[in-house]
Amino acid sequence: MSSRTLLTSVVALSFAFTLLPCAFAQMPNPYGPPISVEIAKKLARPAIAEAVKNHLTVAVAIVDPNGALMYYEKMDNTQLASADAAIDKARTSALYKRPSKALQDALAKGGDGLRVLALRGATAIEGGFPIVLDGKIVGAIGVSGDASAHDSQCAEAALATLK
């Protein structure tokens, strides 16, 4: 590769990464103090209830704004890999201030969205959501165990109890 070709490639990449809009936007909400373990437990209940109602088996993880695990529950017979996946989805939502599906959608579009692959600790799989109270992100919930859309359905059932 000639130095001119290399320079052209570097300039093009620099342009792409600095001037093009981001494929997904973070929530504007500031971080707040973490939710209590009591609230985390209460949030897991409706997620589990939604799974039971729909004959699903899932794992539910609640993390604080820093992504540290606060509460975790796994239903009997949930696949073992879902344990870590639920935690990873929750951490992604807390640390990147957006539903994990936003990263999944950006990645699926390709192009600039492929940058998601370089994000440390990001899990680009639907099923994680920030928990917002009084306009502040106080944690996140992640659900895993079934199809991602079903995982989201369970997480959204939990978040609906906050409204």
Side-chain angles (χ1 to χ4, degrees), residues 9-126:
S9 296
V10 169
V11 169
L13 282 173
S14 295
F15 177 79
F17 286 110
T18 59
L19 297 180
L20 292 177
C22 186
F24 50 91
Q26 70 178 358
M27 296 174 69
N29 307 72
Y31 289 110
I35 60 170
S36 68
V37 173
E38 173 95 11
I39 293 173
K41 286 179 182 181
K42 285 180 183 177
L43 274 175
R45 284 186 208 130
I48 296 291
E50 184 71 14
V52 169
K53 178 177 98 176
N54 291 289
H55 310 288
L56 309 172
T57 55
V58 299
V60 179
I62 312 287
V63 299
D64 70 11
N66 295 307
L69 185 62
M70 293 188 64
Y71 185 76
Y72 172 80
E73 188 170 338
K74 181 175 79 65
M75 296 172 66
D76 291 340
N77 297 315
T78 300
Q79 64 186 357
L80 298 177
S82 294
D84 289 333
I87 295 167
D88 292 344
K89 290 176 183 185
R91 281 189 178 133
T92 294
S93 292
L95 298 176
Y96 290 98
K97 297 175 80 172
R98 67 201 73 200
S100 58
K101 187 176 186 325
L103 295 140
Q104 174 182 303
D105 291 346
L107 185 59
K109 289 180 184 173
D112 288 344
L114 295 177
R115 293 180 285 180
V116 169
L117 295 172
L119 297 176
R120 177 177 279 170
T123 298
I125 304 171
E126 182 177 0

Side-chain angles (χ1 to χ4, degrees), residues 27 29 130-139 159 162:
M27 296 174 69
N29 307 72
I131 298 168
V132 179
L133 291 175
D134 297 324
K136 295 183 179 166
I137 297 174
V138 297
L159 294 174
L162 295 175

